[in-house]
Amino acid sequence: MSAPRVLFSEDEIRVAVALMAGDFARLSDPPEIVSPILGGGFVFGAELVRALARKGLHLPLEYMWLRSYGAGREGGEMRVLAAPGDAVTGKHVLLIDGVLDHGHTLITARDLLTKAGARKITTAVVVDKAREAAPIRADHACFAGVTDFIVGYGMDDAGHARGLPYIGVVE
């Protein structure tokens, strides 16, 4: 695989994450716990948790692990590898993922958090592709309207390019 074309640079991502953290820190009912979705949301989750801490909002983590893509670019059956536990019960949960494409992962994660007793769920993604047919929109997104297949910053192409510090387009 050749190097992806940079779509959003490290600096652009850093600024967008800091702005988002500021928005959350100013809420009258801020999140009480963060639930990043593994694998695509782990980098964004780590960055956002640190940015929130810089704003004085220190939150515990409760990871979820969902998988639908496997080794390809087309989503398949959603598998729950790790569901949220009772740490979310009665809490305002900040649900984090890397990209909102068709919405299936975010809907599954939201349903799992609801079943686990979350009081309120706020969603945040790095990229919301803003597809008209998607049954869900992210409450907060650093970037929106991307139509390309993207990698980096936690998102991958069949296991490749997840560790890139920027978000790139595979051409």
Side-chain angles (χ1 to χ4, degrees):
M1 176 165 108
S2 61
R5 175 178 52 85
V6 175
L7 183 61
F8 301 112
S9 71
E10 289 181 73
D11 289 338
E12 289 171 308
I13 296 168
R14 187 178 306 108
V15 167
V17 171
L19 290 171
M20 184 182 286
D23 290 344
F24 285 124
R26 287 187 294 278
L27 291 175
S28 60
D29 180 17
E32 300 165 281
I33 190 167
V34 176
S35 188
I37 299 173
L38 300 175
F42 85 100
V43 172
F44 176 46
E47 294 290 328
L48 186 54
V49 166
R50 286 194 295 257
L52 289 166
R54 288 184 200 103
K55 302 289 184 186
L57 195 57
H58 303 276
L59 301 176
L61 295 159
E62 179 72 7
Y63 292 97
M64 270 188 274
W65 191 3
L66 306 176
R67 180 173 293 155
S68 67
Y69 281 90
R73 288 187 180 180
E74 296 299 319
E77 180 183 337
M78 183 67 60
R79 294 185 302 154
V80 178
L81 303 175
D86 60 4
V88 302
T89 302
K91 303 270 178 36
H92 177 180
V93 179
L94 177 55
L95 173 59
I96 295 174
D97 201 5
V99 63
L100 192 162
D101 195 347
H102 296 284
H104 305 299
T105 303
L106 215 55
I107 287 172
T108 299
R110 185 186 62 190
D111 290 348
L112 289 168
L113 287 167
T114 299
K115 287 177 187 170
R119 172 178 62 83
K120 180 178 180 181
I121 301 163
T122 300
T123 58
V125 296
V126 177
V127 176
D128 184 340
K129 288 194 170 183
R131 293 181 189 270
E132 284 186 32
I136 187 173
R137 289 267 75 80
D139 297 312
H140 300 268
C142 293
F143 309 102
V146 174
T147 58
D148 301 299
F149 187 85
I150 54 176
V151 296
Y153 202 69
M155 296 163 281
D156 72 314
D157 182 6
H160 301 284
R162 191 180 293 275
L164 293 173
Y166 60 88
I167 295 172
V169 174
V170 177
E171 299 180 327

